Amino acid sequence: MSNVKALPLLESDAGLHAGPDVEPCCPPLTERPLTAAEAVRTAAMFKALGDPVRLRLFSSVASHEGGEACVCDISDVGVSQPTVSHHLKKLKDAGLLTSERRGTWVYYRVAPSVLTAMGKMLGQYAG
């Protein structure tokens, strides 16, 4: 059984919402020190992205045309299909990806607002 929890997301500048009553993942790192709970949530996200295969899969989904990718289109990362599935599950468990089954294939998307939330947390503001 996994002890990883999904990260709540910040509201994006584009108007996408993580949902009602969801607190942001964490404040920008330059705003103030993280609380213990914020550090745990942030560490889970970075832990999920800390594996090179997971980072490649996340990048493949995030940069894929149309904003979603079929597992059949992103599985060429140098590991077996069961290992790809394991890594995609870890990214989903961390709240970084969502998925939808369509027939025999599973399509993945970066969770709404996650890139904006990560950028804000790291203090990167567009504008």
Side-chain angles (χ1 to χ4, degrees), residues 64-114:
H64 203 270
E65 184 178 334
E68 72 176 4
C70 173
V71 69
C72 61
D73 294 328
I74 60 170
S75 59
D76 185 20
V77 291
V79 295
S80 68
Q81 181 57 46
T83 303
V84 168
S85 295
H86 165 77
H87 286 301
L88 289 168
K89 181 180 184 323
K90 293 291 187 179
L91 291 167
K92 279 184 61 178
D93 289 347
L96 297 170
L97 295 180
T98 62
S99 67
E100 176 185 352
R101 179 172 290 282
R102 297 181 198 156
T104 59
W105 297 109
V106 178
Y107 288 79
Y108 290 88
R109 292 187 156 275
V110 172
S113 306
V114 79

Side-chain angles (χ1 to χ4, degrees), residues 54-68:
R54 287 186 209 142
L55 190 55
R56 287 185 66 200
L57 288 168
F58 183 79
S59 174
S60 293
V61 172
S63 64
H64 203 270
E65 184 178 334
E68 72 176 4

